[in-house]
Amino acid sequence: MNHVPARSSGRSTTRARLRAALIAAVAGVAAVGTTVALAPNASAATTLGASAAQTGRYFGTAVAANKLSDSAYTTILNREFNQVTPENEMKIDATEPQQGVFTYGNADRIVAHARSQGMKVRGHTLAWHSQQPGWMQNMSGSALRSAMLNHVTQVATHFRGQVAWWDVVNEAFADGGTGARRDSNLQRTGNDWIEAAFRAADAADPNAQLCYNDYNIDNWNDAKTQAVYRMVQDFKSRGVPIDCVGLQSHFTGGSNYPSNYRTTLSSFAALGVDVHITELDIRNAPSDAYRNVVNDCLAVARCKGITVWGIRDSDSWRSGESPLLFDGGGNKKAAYDAVLTALNNGGTTTPPTTTPPTTTPTTTTPPTTPPPGNAACVATVRLDSWTGGFVANVTVTAGASSLSGWTVGLTLPAGAAITNTWSAQPSGTSGAVTFRNVSYNGSVAAGTSTTFGFQGTGVGPSATPICSAS
Ligand code: G3I
């Protein structure tokens, strides 16, 4: 299915609705989507959620279903937070332990608790290389691709209307300096697995905000940050339905709060997506670092909220580092006061518009050399294949004159069949197939390029494609 303008504007409308609802819920706050500098402690809110709501944001926490019976835990949860993320209960191993058998008990319990308290829910996560059930770990190729898409569809459908944001895809990029995708069974189904997951989530729950979520994408200079930035930029340019980026921001282990964090937030926001701080924890909970994170979020209009990864230090996945806002006894720590004060101060008066990136990310330079001869255009195919399937990404480059429309003819080998096409309209699914531009990518300036792609079963095309102006 070709996805784009209709859904894209639908997603903007949803975003606008969501923002309006948040603002409407906050009496006395003036601006939509802007950072509001409140008079310091003029009418200081006394909880994290209420203080974040003063600027239309949320303050949330990861929640574990088995702790909802702990009254010390729920007392803090209900008092302080207005957003929750199930810590493990919506992951693939929890929701589809056997293929085709879906179990939602613990996740439903958290969602019901959140809704009864007026808290918003972040779904975590639909597609991930980790915490896959055994049956999925053993799958590959087109069978895995189908199983993954079915999982996304079933789970997003089950929670439709109850989840405000989905971490559709989690942690798909490798650490280190390469900026490459993380190797995984999902990645080996073809490079387009991420956008395929987003399209499936969009179809299942058109009103949820769809996020890409990762760790170590906090430092603007890191190759991983730049790689995710380029993916989001590419998705936005091609109409892949993405609304937001989640920065996990685990400043634990060896990772630290970077001084250019605000640049990272504003740079992603400048791509036209919201940003969320989704799993915050900081080794030994220094007040300064927590305060900086809050102020950085408040300075970026599209930073919609902050979620800490647990309530008390004893609830943390890294309890040894005491990285949270409450100690094991449920007492507020110094970092809690720093966060509350920063939220009540409403941030700095940094202009609310997104700041353009200060570092130009490396982008793939579009071809500037017109195709040889008098050809109106040239098409090249990049093929990712595996046994039984393939993904083809096609680049269409205009010649010496601009194109106002184009077609690309390709012949698929016997037995091959197209199952999915994006950013082009195919004439058929097998044999000789002609791909025609869609409304938003027919105009291509001289010497520049546009792309489309398709996925199929069998063996991918190897013959040179024929590009023509139309
Ligand atoms: O519930 C079982 C228990 O019955 C069993 O006895 C025990 C034995 O190991 O395991 C328990 O499950 C553990 C589960 O946490 C609940 O405590 C799993 O082994 C353990 O792997 C799981 O760890 C979770 C981890 O994700 C798994 O990758 C952490 O709680 C959770 O905080 C962490 O969260 C991730 C985010 O999803 C993504 N970003 C990073 C973040 C931190 O790793």
Side-chain angles (χ1 to χ4, degrees), residues 87-88 91 124 128 130-131 170-171 213 215 248 250 279 309 317:
E87 186 173 357
N88 288 299
K91 291 174 179 174
H124 175 79
W128 192 20
S130 182
Q131 278 184 274
N170 196 39
E171 302 175 0
N213 191 53
Y215 65 90
Q248 293 184 8
H250 286 293
E279 304 183 16
W309 206 238
W317 70 301

PDB file of all heavy atoms in Angstrom, residues 87-88 91 124 128 130-131 170-171 213 215 248 250 279 309 317, ligand 1:
ATOM      1  N   GLU A  87       6.812  -1.619  31.940  1.00  0.00           N
ATOM      2  CA  GLU A  87       8.259  -1.855  31.833  1.00  0.00           C
ATOM      3  C   GLU A  87       8.568  -3.082  30.980  1.00  0.00           C
ATOM      4  O   GLU A  87       9.521  -3.076  30.198  1.00  0.00           O
ATOM      5  CB  GLU A  87       8.862  -2.009  33.222  1.00  0.00           C
ATOM      6  CG  GLU A  87      10.385  -2.099  33.199  1.00  0.00           C
ATOM      7  CD  GLU A  87      10.998  -2.078  34.587  1.00  0.00           C
ATOM      8  OE1 GLU A  87      10.251  -1.928  35.580  1.00  0.00           O
ATOM      9  OE2 GLU A  87      12.234  -2.213  34.687  1.00  0.00           O
ATOM     10  N   ASN A  88       7.775  -4.131  31.128  1.00  0.00           N
ATOM     11  CA  ASN A  88       8.023  -5.367  30.371  1.00  0.00           C
ATOM     12  C   ASN A  88       6.756  -5.989  29.780  1.00  0.00           C
ATOM     13  O   ASN A  88       6.844  -6.882  28.947  1.00  0.00           O
ATOM     14  CB  ASN A  88       8.675  -6.413  31.290  1.00  0.00           C
ATOM     15  CG  ASN A  88      10.124  -6.065  31.615  1.00  0.00           C
ATOM     16  OD1 ASN A  88      10.962  -5.981  30.725  1.00  0.00           O
ATOM     17  ND2 ASN A  88      10.401  -5.831  32.893  1.00  0.00           N
ATOM     18  N   LYS A  91       5.929  -6.184  25.901  1.00  0.00           N
ATOM     19  CA  LYS A  91       6.982  -6.678  25.012  1.00  0.00           C
ATOM     20  C   LYS A  91       6.510  -7.958  24.319  1.00  0.00           C
ATOM     21  O   LYS A  91       5.535  -8.594  24.736  1.00  0.00           O
ATOM     22  CB  LYS A  91       8.270  -6.889  25.811  1.00  0.00           C
ATOM     23  CG  LYS A  91       8.861  -5.555  26.274  1.00  0.00           C
ATOM     24  CD  LYS A  91      10.058  -5.722  27.192  1.00  0.00           C
ATOM     25  CE  LYS A  91      10.621  -4.366  27.594  1.00  0.00           C
ATOM     26  NZ  LYS A  91      11.703  -4.464  28.600  1.00  0.00           N
ATOM     27  N   HIS A 124       5.077  -0.018  24.882  1.00  0.00           N
ATOM     28  CA  HIS A 124       6.507  -0.357  24.749  1.00  0.00           C
ATOM     29  C   HIS A 124       6.631  -1.871  24.737  1.00  0.00           C
ATOM     30  O   HIS A 124       6.345  -2.484  25.759  1.00  0.00           O
ATOM     31  CB  HIS A 124       7.267   0.255  25.920  1.00  0.00           C
ATOM     32  CG  HIS A 124       8.712  -0.111  25.988  1.00  0.00           C
ATOM     33  ND1 HIS A 124       9.655   0.503  25.201  1.00  0.00           N
ATOM     34  CD2 HIS A 124       9.386  -1.023  26.733  1.00  0.00           C
ATOM     35  CE1 HIS A 124      10.857  -0.002  25.493  1.00  0.00           C
ATOM     36  NE2 HIS A 124      10.711  -0.934  26.401  1.00  0.00           N
ATOM     37  N   TRP A 128      11.187  -5.453  18.285  1.00  0.00           N
ATOM     38  CA  TRP A 128      12.469  -5.316  18.998  1.00  0.00           C
ATOM     39  C   TRP A 128      13.263  -6.597  18.793  1.00  0.00           C
ATOM     40  O   TRP A 128      12.673  -7.682  18.730  1.00  0.00           O
ATOM     41  CB  TRP A 128      12.171  -5.098  20.490  1.00  0.00           C
ATOM     42  CG  TRP A 128      13.295  -4.668  21.362  1.00  0.00           C
ATOM     43  CD1 TRP A 128      14.459  -4.077  20.983  1.00  0.00           C
ATOM     44  CD2 TRP A 128      13.345  -4.793  22.800  1.00  0.00           C
ATOM     45  NE1 TRP A 128      15.237  -3.804  22.091  1.00  0.00           N
ATOM     46  CE2 TRP A 128      14.579  -4.238  23.216  1.00  0.00           C
ATOM     47  CE3 TRP A 128      12.479  -5.301  23.767  1.00  0.00           C
ATOM     48  CZ2 TRP A 128      14.953  -4.185  24.558  1.00  0.00           C
ATOM     49  CZ3 TRP A 128      12.860  -5.247  25.101  1.00  0.00           C
ATOM     50  CH2 TRP A 128      14.078  -4.685  25.489  1.00  0.00           C
ATOM     51  N   SER A 130      15.150  -7.792  21.006  1.00  0.00           N
ATOM     52  CA  SER A 130      15.321  -8.418  22.319  1.00  0.00           C
ATOM     53  C   SER A 130      13.965  -8.835  22.879  1.00  0.00           C
ATOM     54  O   SER A 130      12.923  -8.392  22.433  1.00  0.00           O
ATOM     55  CB  SER A 130      15.996  -7.410  23.250  1.00  0.00           C
ATOM     56  OG  SER A 130      16.222  -7.965  24.512  1.00  0.00           O
ATOM     57  N   GLN A 131      14.004  -9.668  23.908  1.00  0.00           N
ATOM     58  CA  GLN A 131      12.781 -10.162  24.554  1.00  0.00           C
ATOM     59  C   GLN A 131      11.775 -10.690  23.531  1.00  0.00           C
ATOM     60  O   GLN A 131      10.568 -10.481  23.654  1.00  0.00           O
ATOM     61  CB  GLN A 131      12.186  -9.108  25.486  1.00  0.00           C
ATOM     62  CG  GLN A 131      12.923  -9.134  26.841  1.00  0.00           C
ATOM     63  CD  GLN A 131      12.353  -8.196  27.875  1.00  0.00           C
ATOM     64  OE1 GLN A 131      12.700  -7.019  27.918  1.00  0.00           O
ATOM     65  NE2 GLN A 131      11.491  -8.722  28.724  1.00  0.00           N
ATOM     66  N   ASN A 170      12.123  -0.509  18.600  1.00  0.00           N
ATOM     67  CA  ASN A 170      13.035  -0.200  19.703  1.00  0.00           C
ATOM     68  C   ASN A 170      14.453  -0.645  19.351  1.00  0.00           C
ATOM     69  O   ASN A 170      14.648  -1.772  18.878  1.00  0.00           O
ATOM     70  CB  ASN A 170      12.543  -0.967  20.944  1.00  0.00           C
ATOM     71  CG  ASN A 170      13.125  -0.463  22.240  1.00  0.00           C
ATOM     72  OD1 ASN A 170      13.284   0.745  22.431  1.00  0.00           O
ATOM     73  ND2 ASN A 170      13.433  -1.378  23.141  1.00  0.00           N
ATOM     74  N   GLU A 171      15.407   0.236  19.529  1.00  0.00           N
ATOM     75  CA  GLU A 171      16.839  -0.122  19.543  1.00  0.00           C
ATOM     76  C   GLU A 171      17.320  -0.837  18.275  1.00  0.00           C
ATOM     77  O   GLU A 171      17.964  -1.877  18.341  1.00  0.00           O
ATOM     78  CB  GLU A 171      17.129  -0.982  20.776  1.00  0.00           C
ATOM     79  CG  GLU A 171      16.773  -0.271  22.066  1.00  0.00           C
ATOM     80  CD  GLU A 171      16.942  -1.137  23.317  1.00  0.00           C
ATOM     81  OE1 GLU A 171      17.339  -2.303  23.184  1.00  0.00           O
ATOM     82  OE2 GLU A 171      16.667  -0.635  24.413  1.00  0.00           O
ATOM     83  N   ASN A 213      12.312   4.462  19.161  1.00  0.00           N
ATOM     84  CA  ASN A 213      12.879   4.614  20.505  1.00  0.00           C
ATOM     85  C   ASN A 213      14.262   3.966  20.577  1.00  0.00           C
ATOM     86  O   ASN A 213      14.443   2.848  20.087  1.00  0.00           O
ATOM     87  CB  ASN A 213      11.928   3.920  21.494  1.00  0.00           C
ATOM     88  CG  ASN A 213      12.232   4.207  22.950  1.00  0.00           C
ATOM     89  OD1 ASN A 213      12.335   5.374  23.337  1.00  0.00           O
ATOM     90  ND2 ASN A 213      12.355   3.167  23.762  1.00  0.00           N
ATOM     91  N   TYR A 215      18.466   3.993  22.782  1.00  0.00           N
ATOM     92  CA  TYR A 215      19.390   4.519  23.787  1.00  0.00           C
ATOM     93  C   TYR A 215      20.672   4.963  23.085  1.00  0.00           C
ATOM     94  O   TYR A 215      20.914   4.617  21.918  1.00  0.00           O
ATOM     95  CB  TYR A 215      19.695   3.469  24.866  1.00  0.00           C
ATOM     96  CG  TYR A 215      20.445   2.264  24.360  1.00  0.00           C
ATOM     97  CD1 TYR A 215      21.839   2.238  24.352  1.00  0.00           C
ATOM     98  CD2 TYR A 215      19.766   1.158  23.872  1.00  0.00           C
ATOM     99  CE1 TYR A 215      22.536   1.135  23.880  1.00  0.00           C
ATOM    100  CE2 TYR A 215      20.450   0.051  23.393  1.00  0.00           C
ATOM    101  CZ  TYR A 215      21.840   0.051  23.398  1.00  0.00           C
ATOM    102  OH  TYR A 215      22.528  -1.028  22.915  1.00  0.00           O
ATOM    103  N   GLN A 248      15.828   7.256  25.064  1.00  0.00           N
ATOM    104  CA  GLN A 248      15.710   6.544  26.338  1.00  0.00           C
ATOM    105  C   GLN A 248      16.440   7.295  27.446  1.00  0.00           C
ATOM    106  O   GLN A 248      15.962   7.374  28.573  1.00  0.00           O
ATOM    107  CB  GLN A 248      16.269   5.126  26.198  1.00  0.00           C
ATOM    108  CG  GLN A 248      15.451   4.241  25.273  1.00  0.00           C
ATOM    109  CD  GLN A 248      15.972   2.814  25.214  1.00  0.00           C
ATOM    110  OE1 GLN A 248      16.867   2.429  25.976  1.00  0.00           O
ATOM    111  NE2 GLN A 248      15.416   2.024  24.319  1.00  0.00           N
ATOM    112  N   HIS A 250      19.204   6.621  29.230  1.00  0.00           N
ATOM    113  CA  HIS A 250      19.753   5.886  30.380  1.00  0.00           C
ATOM    114  C   HIS A 250      21.165   6.417  30.606  1.00  0.00           C
ATOM    115  O   HIS A 250      22.104   6.027  29.928  1.00  0.00           O
ATOM    116  CB  HIS A 250      19.822   4.387  30.080  1.00  0.00           C
ATOM    117  CG  HIS A 250      18.498   3.712  30.090  1.00  0.00           C
ATOM    118  ND1 HIS A 250      17.748   3.556  31.232  1.00  0.00           N
ATOM    119  CD2 HIS A 250      17.780   3.138  29.086  1.00  0.00           C
ATOM    120  CE1 HIS A 250      16.620   2.912  30.931  1.00  0.00           C
ATOM    121  NE2 HIS A 250      16.617   2.659  29.641  1.00  0.00           N
ATOM    122  N   GLU A 279      13.066   6.872  29.063  1.00  0.00           N
ATOM    123  CA  GLU A 279      13.497   5.879  30.067  1.00  0.00           C
ATOM    124  C   GLU A 279      14.567   6.468  30.975  1.00  0.00           C
ATOM    125  O   GLU A 279      15.563   5.815  31.302  1.00  0.00           O
ATOM    126  CB  GLU A 279      14.016   4.610  29.372  1.00  0.00           C
ATOM    127  CG  GLU A 279      12.996   3.993  28.435  1.00  0.00           C
ATOM    128  CD  GLU A 279      13.452   2.685  27.774  1.00  0.00           C
ATOM    129  OE1 GLU A 279      14.442   2.084  28.250  1.00  0.00           O
ATOM    130  OE2 GLU A 279      12.815   2.280  26.791  1.00  0.00           O
ATOM    131  N   TRP A 309      12.635   5.680  34.472  1.00  0.00           N
ATOM    132  CA  TRP A 309      12.527   4.231  34.306  1.00  0.00           C
ATOM    133  C   TRP A 309      12.409   3.545  35.665  1.00  0.00           C
ATOM    134  O   TRP A 309      13.268   2.763  36.080  1.00  0.00           O
ATOM    135  CB  TRP A 309      13.703   3.692  33.482  1.00  0.00           C
ATOM    136  CG  TRP A 309      13.367   2.406  32.760  1.00  0.00           C
ATOM    137  CD1 TRP A 309      14.013   1.207  32.877  1.00  0.00           C
ATOM    138  CD2 TRP A 309      12.314   2.193  31.801  1.00  0.00           C
ATOM    139  NE1 TRP A 309      13.409   0.264  32.059  1.00  0.00           N
ATOM    140  CE2 TRP A 309      12.372   0.848  31.391  1.00  0.00           C
ATOM    141  CE3 TRP A 309      11.311   3.020  31.261  1.00  0.00           C
ATOM    142  CZ2 TRP A 309      11.476   0.284  30.461  1.00  0.00           C
ATOM    143  CZ3 TRP A 309      10.422   2.469  30.340  1.00  0.00           C
ATOM    144  CH2 TRP A 309      10.511   1.119  29.953  1.00  0.00           C
ATOM    145  N   TRP A 317      16.039  -1.192  37.134  1.00  0.00           N
ATOM    146  CA  TRP A 317      16.816  -2.284  36.522  1.00  0.00           C
ATOM    147  C   TRP A 317      18.293  -2.163  36.876  1.00  0.00           C
ATOM    148  O   TRP A 317      19.047  -3.098  36.734  1.00  0.00           O
ATOM    149  CB  TRP A 317      16.637  -2.284  34.997  1.00  0.00           C
ATOM    150  CG  TRP A 317      17.300  -1.126  34.276  1.00  0.00           C
ATOM    151  CD1 TRP A 317      17.061   0.204  34.481  1.00  0.00           C
ATOM    152  CD2 TRP A 317      18.321  -1.200  33.282  1.00  0.00           C
ATOM    153  NE1 TRP A 317      17.861   0.976  33.659  1.00  0.00           N
ATOM    154  CE2 TRP A 317      18.639   0.127  32.896  1.00  0.00           C
ATOM    155  CE3 TRP A 317      18.988  -2.245  32.640  1.00  0.00           C
ATOM    156  CZ2 TRP A 317      19.597   0.438  31.932  1.00  0.00           C
ATOM    157  CZ3 TRP A 317      19.942  -1.932  31.668  1.00  0.00           C
ATOM    158  CH2 TRP A 317      20.225  -0.613  31.329  1.00  0.00           C
TER     159      TRP A 317
HETATM  160  O1  G3I B   1       9.712 -12.032  35.836  1.00  0.00           O
HETATM  161  C1  G3I B   1      10.799 -12.948  35.718  1.00  0.00           C
HETATM  162  C2  G3I B   1      10.895 -13.831  36.919  1.00  0.00           C
HETATM  163  O2  G3I B   1       9.746 -14.641  37.006  1.00  0.00           O
HETATM  164  C3  G3I B   1      12.139 -14.691  36.794  1.00  0.00           C
HETATM  165  O3  G3I B   1      12.304 -15.435  37.951  1.00  0.00           O
HETATM  166  C4  G3I B   1      13.360 -13.821  36.588  1.00  0.00           C
HETATM  167  C5  G3I B   1      14.618 -14.667  36.384  1.00  0.00           C
HETATM  168  O4  G3I B   1      15.592 -13.994  35.621  1.00  0.00           O
HETATM  169  O5  G3I B   1      13.176 -13.020  35.449  1.00  0.00           O
HETATM  170  C6  G3I B   1      12.063 -12.144  35.549  1.00  0.00           C
HETATM  171  O6  G3I B   1      11.981 -11.414  34.361  1.00  0.00           O
HETATM  172  C7  G3I B   1      12.920 -10.373  34.206  1.00  0.00           C
HETATM  173  C8  G3I B   1      12.157  -9.082  33.936  1.00  0.00           C
HETATM  174  O7  G3I B   1      13.071  -8.035  33.663  1.00  0.00           O
HETATM  175  C9  G3I B   1      11.286  -8.667  35.118  1.00  0.00           C
HETATM  176  O8  G3I B   1      12.089  -8.362  36.207  1.00  0.00           O
HETATM  177  C10 G3I B   1      13.813 -10.691  33.008  1.00  0.00           C
HETATM  178  O9  G3I B   1      14.616 -11.824  33.300  1.00  0.00           O
HETATM  179  C11 G3I B   1      14.679  -9.518  32.696  1.00  0.00           C
HETATM  180  O10 G3I B   1      15.364  -9.775  31.479  1.00  0.00           O
HETATM  181  C12 G3I B   1      13.841  -8.271  32.520  1.00  0.00           C
HETATM  182  O11 G3I B   1      14.705  -7.191  32.329  1.00  0.00           O
HETATM  183  C13 G3I B   1      14.104  -6.074  31.720  1.00  0.00           C
HETATM  184  C14 G3I B   1      14.935  -5.695  30.506  1.00  0.00           C
HETATM  185  O12 G3I B   1      14.385  -4.540  29.906  1.00  0.00           O
HETATM  186  C15 G3I B   1      14.959  -6.805  29.486  1.00  0.00           C
HETATM  187  O13 G3I B   1      15.591  -6.433  28.343  1.00  0.00           O
HETATM  188  C16 G3I B   1      14.061  -4.925  32.679  1.00  0.00           C
HETATM  189  O14 G3I B   1      13.142  -5.235  33.730  1.00  0.00           O
HETATM  190  C17 G3I B   1      13.597  -3.650  31.982  1.00  0.00           C
HETATM  191  O15 G3I B   1      13.752  -2.561  32.841  1.00  0.00           O
HETATM  192  C18 G3I B   1      14.453  -3.418  30.759  1.00  0.00           C
HETATM  193  O16 G3I B   1      13.957  -2.295  30.086  1.00  0.00           O
HETATM  194  C19 G3I B   1      14.695  -1.896  28.939  1.00  0.00           C
HETATM  195  C20 G3I B   1      13.722  -1.285  27.972  1.00  0.00           C
HETATM  196  O17 G3I B   1      12.696  -2.199  27.677  1.00  0.00           O
HETATM  197  C21 G3I B   1      14.414  -0.854  26.679  1.00  0.00           C
HETATM  198  N1  G3I B   1      15.513   0.015  26.974  1.00  0.00           N
HETATM  199  C22 G3I B   1      16.476  -0.481  27.922  1.00  0.00           C
HETATM  200  C23 G3I B   1      15.783  -0.846  29.227  1.00  0.00           C
HETATM  201  C24 G3I B   1      16.776  -1.269  30.260  1.00  0.00           C
HETATM  202  O18 G3I B   1      17.422  -2.459  29.882  1.00  0.00           O
END
